[in-house]
Amino acid sequence: MPAEWERQTAVQLTWPHDGTDWAPMLDEVLETYREMAREISCRERLIVVAPEGKAPGMLHVVCPTNDTWARDHGFITLTDDNGHCRLLDFKFNGWGEKFRADLDNAINRRLYEVGAVEGEYVDHLDFVLEGGSIESDGQGTIFTTRCCLMAPHRNQPLTQAQIEERLKQYLGAKRIVWLNHGSLIGDDTDGHIDTLVRIAPNDTLLYIGADEQHPDLLLMEQELRDLKTLDGRPYRLLRLPMPRPIVDEDGQRLPATYANFLVINDAVLVPTYSQPDLDSEALRIVGEAFPDREIIGIDCRSLIRQHGSLHCCTMQFYSPLK
């Protein structure tokens, strides 16, 4: 499984429409998606999945959808040294059957059938795995969280050891790093790793810092300090700030995080939340991890209202396109 910063051929967006939960704020979220689309499409190919319409300058695939979280219903790509790739189609079940996902779960097959992506299609629809729940360093280490992969209605009655063996087999991994701590208030995903800890070049881990409402993140930080690379060295740790609380109409805190950034060709898109001091600090720290890329802030206040952010909306491909 490639590291996200390896050279990409395309990024997928699954477009918001009035049949999704975005309907009450569709104009606002569409502007955020247009901004993401502009930044992606000027650097690599953009695939837009939507029930209807056309996307000028983009590869548009017509397909019915439940929602827009491409990270979790999209293909997971494996590559080899000869340029071949496998497109792994795992089951998406609405983060443990919390939401309807039957239409989203059919998007990958549609992309493959119309020739939007190339590679060997691999059916893993008997196993639930969301793209946001795993991080790869491209060298055989996969990070994940126990609270997500062992959450109810994912892959029971499989044990942690059995799930680990499948991840190694399916993803070509040498080891699985399980984090036992870390979650965000308001998170529907049960602790996706891409909201908490991200891998960067040179054995660097970026992670979200704790605040008074997230003491469990201090325990996660200690776990990261104790971790070693495959060759026994400590990781370089870069601590991202925690955004100040953003709440919904009922006063409930939303799971805003700067860790949910997207690495694309020659740039990193970083979620911002109209908190200039913290936004600037997050952009600076991400720039430390990716000094050879342009660091671009994207206002994600619209996305967080549906409990997701920038990385959640996207999925990258490494296979050649037709």
Side-chain angles (χ1 to χ4, degrees), residues 61-291:
V61 177
V62 175
C63 185
T65 65
N66 299 117
D67 215 324
T68 57
W69 307 109
R71 179 63 45 179
D72 298 333
H73 59 244
F75 277 120
I76 293 172
T77 308
L78 301 189
T79 61
D80 67 18
D81 293 337
N82 298 316
H84 302 131
C85 71
R86 291 182 177 180
L87 302 172
L88 309 186
D89 191 6
F90 290 98
K91 183 176 182 179
F92 174 58
N93 71 346
W95 308 291
E97 301 176 355
K98 297 182 182 72
F99 303 97
R100 180 183 170 189
D102 57 316
L103 300 178
D104 290 344
N105 210 42
I107 291 173
N108 289 341
R109 174 59 76 172
R110 173 66 175 167
L111 289 174
Y112 188 74
E113 288 174 347
V114 302
V117 292
E118 286 185 346
E120 177 190 353
Y121 177 90
V122 182
D123 186 338
H124 286 312
L125 292 171
D126 61 343
F127 188 78
V128 176
L129 186 67
E130 300 128 20
S133 69
I134 52 175
E135 272 279 301
S136 173
D137 68 353
Q139 302 297 317
T141 295
I142 301 292
F143 276 65
T144 191
T145 65
R146 189 180 186 281
C147 59
C148 177
L149 266 62
M150 297 303 296
H153 308 294
R154 293 302 212 282
N155 287 301
Q156 286 80 11
L158 294 181
T159 66
Q160 181 173 323
Q162 290 170 324
I163 290 174
E164 176 166 328
E165 187 57 35
R166 291 207 186 190
L167 292 178
K168 288 179 178 179
Q169 175 188 346
Y170 295 159
L171 304 178
K174 299 175 183 175
R175 68 167 182 164
I176 309 299
V177 173
W178 295 83
L179 296 181
N180 295 307
H181 300 281
S183 63
L184 298 177
I185 296 170
D187 175 25
D188 291 326
T189 71
D190 302 305
H192 271 187
I193 193 75
D194 72 346
T195 67
L196 301 166
V197 180
R198 304 296 305 283
I199 307 175
N202 303 312
D203 296 327
T204 299
L205 300 179
L206 297 101
Y207 67 99
I208 199 75
D211 66 5
E212 64 279 359
Q213 295 188 48
H214 295 90
D216 191 53
L217 294 179
L218 291 174
L219 297 174
M220 183 189 78
E221 182 178 45
Q222 188 58 53
E223 282 190 275
L224 298 178
R225 293 186 185 281
D226 294 338
L227 278 178
K228 297 293 188 293
T229 64
L230 269 173
D231 55 6
R233 293 178 291 108
Y235 283 93
R236 175 194 181 206
L237 300 182
L238 296 178
R239 177 173 173 164
L240 293 163
M242 172 69 75
R244 283 184 285 273
I246 302 172
V247 299
D248 63 15
E249 294 80 0
D250 298 321
Q252 300 299 309
R253 185 165 179 170
L254 297 172
T257 170
Y258 292 112
N260 205 242
F261 56 80
L262 173 70
V263 185
I264 58 176
N265 293 340
D266 305 316
V268 184
L269 308 185
V270 182
T272 60
Y273 302 102
S274 195
Q275 299 180 12
D277 55 337
L278 296 178
D279 293 347
S280 296
E281 179 69 359
L283 293 172
R284 181 190 67 77
I285 293 170
V286 173
E288 282 189 43
F290 296 93

